Coordinates of all heavy atoms in Angstrom, one line a residue:
L350 N 216.3 -1.4 34.5 CA 216.8 -2.6 34.0 C 216.1 -3.0 32.7 O 216.7 -3.4 31.7 CB 216.8 -3.7 35.0 CG 217.7 -3.6 36.2 CD1 217.3 -4.6 37.3 CD2 219.2 -3.8 35.8
F351 N 214.8 -2.9 32.7 CA 214.0 -3.3 31.5 C 214.4 -2.4 30.3 O 214.6 -2.9 29.2 CB 212.5 -3.1 31.9 CG 211.6 -3.5 30.7 CD1 211.0 -4.7 30.7 CD2 211.3 -2.6 29.7 CE1 210.1 -5.1 29.7 CE2 210.4 -2.9 28.7 CZ 209.8 -4.2 28.7
D352 N 214.5 -1.1 30.6 CA 214.8 -0.2 29.5 C 216.2 -0.4 28.9 O 216.5 -0.2 27.7 CB 214.7 1.3 29.9 CG 213.2 1.6 30.2 OD1 212.3 0.9 29.8 OD2 213.0 2.6 31.0
A353 N 217.1 -0.8 29.8 CA 218.5 -1.0 29.5 C 218.8 -2.3 28.8 O 219.9 -2.5 28.3 CB 219.4 -0.8 30.7
T354 N 217.8 -3.2 28.8 CA 218.0 -4.5 28.2 C 217.0 -4.8 27.1 O 216.7 -6.0 26.8 CB 218.0 -5.6 29.3 OG1 216.7 -5.5 30.0 CG2 219.1 -5.5 30.3
V355 N 216.5 -3.8 26.5 CA 215.5 -4.0 25.4 C 216.0 -4.8 24.3 O 215.3 -5.7 23.7 CB 215.0 -2.6 24.9 CG1 214.2 -2.8 23.6 CG2 214.2 -1.9 25.9
A356 N 217.3 -4.6 23.9 CA 217.9 -5.4 22.8 C 217.9 -6.9 23.1 O 217.9 -7.7 22.2 CB 219.3 -4.9 22.6
Q357 N 218.0 -7.2 24.4 CA 218.0 -8.6 24.8 C 216.6 -9.3 24.9 O 216.4 -10.4 24.5 CB 218.8 -8.8 26.1 CG 220.3 -8.6 26.0 CD 220.7 -7.2 25.9 OE1 220.0 -6.3 26.4 NE2 221.7 -6.9 25.1
H358 N 215.7 -8.5 25.5 CA 214.4 -9.2 25.8 C 213.3 -8.9 24.7 O 212.4 -9.7 24.5 CB 213.8 -8.8 27.2 CG 213.6 -7.4 27.4 ND1 212.6 -6.6 26.8 CD2 214.2 -6.5 28.2 CE1 212.7 -5.4 27.2 NE2 213.6 -5.3 28.1
R359 N 213.4 -7.7 24.1 CA 212.5 -7.3 23.0 C 211.0 -7.4 23.4 O 210.1 -7.7 22.6 CB 212.7 -8.2 21.7 CG 214.1 -8.2 21.2 CD 214.2 -8.9 19.9 NE 215.6 -8.9 19.4 CZ 216.2 -7.9 18.8 NH1 215.5 -6.8 18.5 NH2 217.4 -8.0 18.4
L360 N 210.7 -7.0 24.6 CA 209.3 -6.9 25.1 C 208.8 -5.5 24.8 O 209.6 -4.6 24.4 CB 209.2 -7.2 26.6 CG 209.7 -8.6 27.0 CD1 209.4 -8.9 28.5 CD2 209.0 -9.7 26.1
D361 N 207.5 -5.2 25.0 CA 207.0 -4.0 24.5 C 206.5 -3.1 25.7 O 206.7 -3.5 26.9 CB 205.8 -4.2 23.6 CG 204.7 -5.0 24.2 OD1 204.5 -5.0 25.4 OD2 203.9 -5.6 23.4
T362 N 205.9 -2.0 25.4 CA 205.6 -1.0 26.5 C 204.4 -1.6 27.4 O 204.4 -1.2 28.6 CB 205.1 0.3 25.9 OG1 204.1 0.1 24.9 CG2 206.3 1.0 25.2
D363 N 203.6 -2.4 26.8 CA 202.5 -3.0 27.7 C 203.1 -3.9 28.7 O 202.7 -3.9 29.9 CB 201.5 -3.8 26.8 CG 200.7 -2.9 25.9 OD1 200.5 -1.7 26.2 OD2 200.2 -3.4 24.9
D364 N 204.1 -4.7 28.3 CA 204.8 -5.5 29.3 C 205.6 -4.7 30.3 O 205.6 -5.0 31.5 CB 205.8 -6.4 28.5 CG 205.2 -7.4 27.6 OD1 204.2 -8.0 27.9 OD2 205.7 -7.5 26.4
R365 N 206.1 -3.6 29.9 CA 206.8 -2.7 30.8 C 205.9 -2.2 31.9 O 206.3 -2.1 33.1 CB 207.4 -1.5 30.0 CG 208.3 -0.5 30.8 CD 208.7 0.6 30.0 NE 209.7 1.5 30.6 CZ 209.4 2.5 31.4 NH1 208.1 2.8 31.7 NH2 210.4 3.2 32.0
A366 N 204.7 -1.8 31.5 CA 203.7 -1.3 32.5 C 203.3 -2.4 33.5 O 203.3 -2.2 34.7 CB 202.4 -0.8 31.8
L367 N 203.2 -3.7 33.0 CA 202.8 -4.7 34.0 C 203.9 -5.0 34.9 O 203.7 -5.3 36.1 CB 202.4 -6.0 33.2 CG 201.2 -5.9 32.3 CD1 200.9 -7.3 31.6 CD2 200.0 -5.4 33.0
L368 N 205.2 -4.9 34.4 CA 206.3 -5.1 35.3 C 206.3 -4.0 36.4 O 206.6 -4.4 37.6 CB 207.6 -5.0 34.5 CG 208.9 -4.9 35.3 CD1 209.1 -6.1 36.2 CD2 210.1 -4.7 34.4
E369 N 206.0 -2.8 36.1 CA 206.0 -1.8 37.1 C 205.0 -2.1 38.2 O 205.2 -1.9 39.4 CB 205.7 -0.4 36.5 CG 205.7 0.7 37.5 CD 205.3 2.1 37.0 OE1 205.0 2.1 35.8 OE2 205.4 3.0 37.8
Y370 N 203.8 -2.5 37.7 CA 202.7 -2.7 38.7 C 203.1 -3.9 39.6 O 202.8 -3.9 40.8 CB 201.4 -3.0 38.0 CG 200.9 -1.8 37.2 CD1 200.4 -2.0 35.9 CD2 201.0 -0.5 37.7 CE1 199.9 -0.9 35.1 CE2 200.5 0.6 36.9 CZ 200.0 0.4 35.7 OH 199.6 1.5 34.9
A371 N 203.7 -5.0 39.0 CA 204.1 -6.1 39.8 C 205.1 -5.7 40.8 O 205.1 -6.2 41.9 CB 204.6 -7.2 38.9
A372 N 206.0 -4.8 40.4 CA 207.1 -4.4 41.3 C 206.5 -3.6 42.5 O 206.9 -3.7 43.6 CB 208.1 -3.5 40.6
L373 N 205.5 -2.7 42.2 CA 204.9 -2.0 43.3 C 204.2 -2.9 44.3 O 204.1 -2.6 45.5 CB 203.9 -1.0 42.7 CG 204.5 0.2 41.9 CD1 203.4 1.0 41.2 CD2 205.2 1.1 42.8
L374 N 203.7 -4.0 43.8 CA 203.0 -4.9 44.7 C 203.8 -6.1 45.2 O 203.2 -7.0 45.9 CB 201.7 -5.5 43.9 CG 200.7 -4.4 43.5 CD1 199.7 -5.1 42.6 CD2 200.0 -3.8 44.7
H375 N 205.0 -6.2 44.8 CA 205.8 -7.5 45.0 C 205.8 -8.0 46.5 O 205.9 -9.2 46.7 CB 207.2 -7.4 44.4 CG 208.2 -6.7 45.2 ND1 208.2 -5.3 45.3 CD2 209.1 -7.1 46.1 CE1 209.2 -4.9 46.1 NE2 209.8 -6.0 46.6
D376 N 205.8 -7.1 47.4 CA 205.9 -7.4 48.8 C 204.7 -7.4 49.6 O 204.7 -7.5 50.9 CB 207.0 -6.5 49.5 CG 208.4 -7.2 49.5 OD1 208.5 -8.4 49.2 OD2 209.3 -6.4 49.8
I377 N 203.5 -7.2 49.0 CA 202.3 -7.0 49.8 C 201.9 -8.3 50.5 O 201.1 -8.2 51.5 CB 201.1 -6.5 48.9 CG1 200.7 -7.6 47.9 CG2 201.4 -5.2 48.3 CD1 199.4 -7.2 47.1
G378 N 202.5 -9.4 50.2 CA 202.2 -10.7 50.9 C 202.6 -10.6 52.4 O 202.2 -11.4 53.2
H379 N 203.5 -9.7 52.7 CA 203.9 -9.4 54.1 C 202.7 -9.2 55.0 O 202.7 -9.4 56.2 CB 204.9 -8.3 54.2 CG 206.3 -8.6 53.8 ND1 207.1 -9.4 54.6 CD2 207.0 -8.3 52.7 CE1 208.3 -9.5 54.0 NE2 208.3 -8.8 52.8
H380 N 201.7 -8.6 54.3 CA 200.4 -8.3 55.1 C 199.8 -9.5 55.7 O 199.1 -9.4 56.7 CB 199.4 -7.6 54.1 CG 198.2 -7.1 54.8 ND1 198.2 -6.3 55.8 CD2 196.9 -7.4 54.5 CE1 196.9 -6.0 56.2 NE2 196.1 -6.7 55.4
I381 N 200.1 -10.7 55.1 CA 199.5 -11.9 55.6 C 200.6 -12.6 56.6 O 200.3 -12.9 57.7 CB 199.2 -12.9 54.5 CG1 198.0 -12.3 53.7 CG2 198.7 -14.3 55.1 CD1 197.6 -13.1 52.5
A382 N 201.8 -12.8 56.0 CA 202.9 -13.3 56.8 C 204.2 -13.2 56.0 O 204.2 -13.2 54.8 CB 202.6 -14.8 57.1
Y383 N 205.3 -13.1 56.7 CA 206.6 -13.1 56.0 C 206.9 -14.4 55.3 O 207.3 -14.4 54.2 CB 207.7 -12.7 57.0 CG 209.1 -12.7 56.3 CD1 209.5 -11.7 55.4 CD2 209.9 -13.8 56.4 CE1 210.7 -11.7 54.7 CE2 211.1 -13.9 55.7 CZ 211.5 -12.8 54.9 OH 212.7 -12.9 54.2
T384 N 206.7 -15.5 56.1 CA 206.9 -16.8 55.5 C 206.1 -17.0 54.3 O 204.8 -16.8 54.3 CB 206.6 -17.9 56.5 OG1 207.4 -17.6 57.7 CG2 207.0 -19.3 56.0
N385 N 206.7 -17.4 53.2 CA 206.0 -17.6 51.9 C 205.3 -16.4 51.4 O 204.2 -16.5 50.8 CB 205.0 -18.8 52.0 CG 205.7 -20.1 52.1 OD1 206.8 -20.3 51.5 ND2 205.2 -21.0 53.0
H386 N 205.8 -15.2 51.7 CA 205.0 -14.0 51.4 C 204.9 -13.8 49.9 O 204.0 -13.1 49.4 CB 205.7 -12.7 52.0 CG 206.9 -12.3 51.4 ND1 208.2 -12.6 52.0 CD2 207.2 -11.5 50.4 CE1 209.1 -12.0 51.3 NE2 208.6 -11.3 50.3
H387 N 205.8 -14.4 49.1 CA 205.7 -14.3 47.6 C 204.4 -15.0 47.2 O 203.7 -14.6 46.2 CB 206.9 -14.9 46.9 CG 207.3 -16.3 47.4 ND1 207.7 -16.6 48.7 CD2 207.2 -17.5 46.8 CE1 208.0 -17.9 48.8 NE2 207.7 -18.5 47.7
N388 N 204.0 -16.2 47.8 CA 202.8 -16.9 47.5 C 201.6 -16.1 48.0 O 200.5 -16.0 47.3 CB 202.8 -18.3 48.1 CG 203.7 -19.2 47.4 OD1 203.8 -19.2 46.1 ND2 204.4 -20.0 48.1
H389 N 201.7 -15.4 49.1 CA 200.6 -14.6 49.6 C 200.4 -13.4 48.7 O 199.3 -12.9 48.5 CB 200.9 -14.1 51.0 CG 201.1 -15.2 52.0 ND1 200.4 -16.4 52.0 CD2 202.0 -15.3 53.1 CE1 200.8 -17.2 53.0 NE2 201.8 -16.6 53.7
T390 N 201.5 -12.9 48.2 CA 201.4 -11.8 47.2 C 200.6 -12.2 46.0 O 199.7 -11.4 45.5 CB 202.8 -11.3 46.8 OG1 203.5 -10.7 47.9 CG2 202.7 -10.3 45.6
Y391 N 200.9 -13.4 45.5 CA 200.1 -13.9 44.3 C 198.7 -13.9 44.6 O 197.8 -13.4 43.8 CB 200.6 -15.3 43.9 CG 199.8 -15.9 42.8 CD1 200.1 -15.7 41.5 CD2 198.7 -16.7 43.2 CE1 199.3 -16.3 40.5 CE2 197.9 -17.3 42.2 CZ 198.2 -17.1 40.9 OH 197.4 -17.6 39.9

Side-chain angles (χ1 to χ4, degrees):
L350 290 168
F351 183 96
D352 293 341
T354 56
V355 169
Q357 287 73 33
H358 60 68
R359 301 186 184 280
L360 301 185
D361 58 26
T362 55
D363 291 339
D364 298 316
R365 184 182 189 274
L367 297 185
L368 170 60
E369 181 186 5
Y370 298 138
L373 289 171
L374 296 171
H375 77 280
D376 265 349
I377 63 172
H379 282 286
H380 185 54
I381 297 177
Y383 175 79
T384 305
N385 292 323
H386 72 264
H387 51 293
N388 288 319
H389 300 322
T390 291
Y391 173 88

